[in-house]
Amino acid sequence: MRMMWFWVLFVLATECYGCLEQERIALLQLKASINNPYGDRLTTWEEAFVGGKVTSDCCEWEGVKCNPATGRVIQLSLNSTRAWDLHWYLNASMFLPFEELESLDLSWNFLVGCLENEGFEKLAMLCSLENLDLTDNIFNNSILSTLGGLTSLKSLYLGYNGLMGTIHVDDLKHLKNLEKLDISNNELDSFVTHSGFQREYVLGKIKVLDLEFNLFNSSILPSLGVLSSLKTINLRSNNMSGSLHRGGKNQILTLN
C-alpha cells in the first residue's frame, strides 16, 4: 500500500499544476517557433517558479484547453499568433507530444508550408485529432496530399489559401470520418479522381461542403450528387448556370 501511494505521489509530482511537464515543455518550444525571429506573441505562456518549483498551470495559458481529468492538452487555439509580416514554415512534429489533442487551430498565421519531412502527415499519429483549421494561410494544392493520412479528422478548414485549379479527390480518400470540408475562397474549378466519388470511402461521411467563392461551374453537380451523406452544400459565388436539381429533401444548396 505504501508503494502504491508513493507511486501516486510520484506521478502527481511529474505533472505541472494541471498539465504534464512534457506538454508544458512542448508548448514553450512551440511558442519559440511562433515568435522566431522577433515575435512577441503568447505572453501568458511563461514559467513561474516558487521555491525552485514550477507553479504556473499551462492549462490556463492563452489558447490552451486541457482535459480536467487527465491534465492532457486537448485543444490548441493558435489563430493569428504569428506576426503579420513573418512567413512561417511549420514543424508539425512539435504537436506530437499532445497525444490527446482533439482540435488544432492554426488559422491566420501566414503559414506557407512545412519544414522538409515535417509536414502534416506527422499528425496522423494523433488518433484523437478531429478538428484542423488552416484557414487563411498561404498553402497551395500540395497541402492536400499531406493531410490524407489524418483519418480521425471530422472537420477540415482550408478556406482562403492558395488552392487553384483542380482538386485531386484521391488525396482525400482516406479521410473516412470527415463530416465537414471548407475549401471556400480559393480559385478551384474542378474535381478529378481515379477512383470516383462513387467509391464508398471517398468522402463517404461528408455532411457539410463549403465551396463558396471559387470557380466551379455546373459540371461539378453530378459528382456531388453521389455524396449520400451530404446535407449542406455552399456554392455561392461560383460560375453556376442552368437548372439545378436537388438531390434530396434534406439537402440545403446555397448558390447565391
Side-chain angles (χ1 to χ4, degrees), residues 179-181 183 191 206-212 216 220-238 240 244-248 250-256:
E179 297 179 357
K180 181 173 183 178
L181 176 61
I183 50 177
F191 288 109
I206 199 76
K207 296 179 180 179
V208 179
L209 183 58
D210 193 343
L211 306 178
E212 182 180 22
F216 294 109
I220 192 180
L221 297 176
S223 297
L224 300 179
V226 300
L227 298 176
S228 58
S229 297
L230 195 60
K231 300 298 182 184
T232 301
I233 315 168
N234 185 359
L235 285 163
R236 181 187 289 114
S237 298
N238 277 272
M240 293 292 153
L244 176 65
H245 300 281
R246 292 174 181 266
N250 293 324
Q251 289 188 343
I252 300 174
L253 307 177
T254 303
L255 298 180
N256 53 47

Side-chain angles (χ1 to χ4, degrees), residues 29 39 42 45 52 71 109 136 139 150 166 179 195 209:
Q29 292 173 339
L42 301 173
W45 292 25
N109 272 312
D136 208 307
F139 293 115
L150 307 186
T166 298
E179 297 179 357
S195 55
L209 183 58

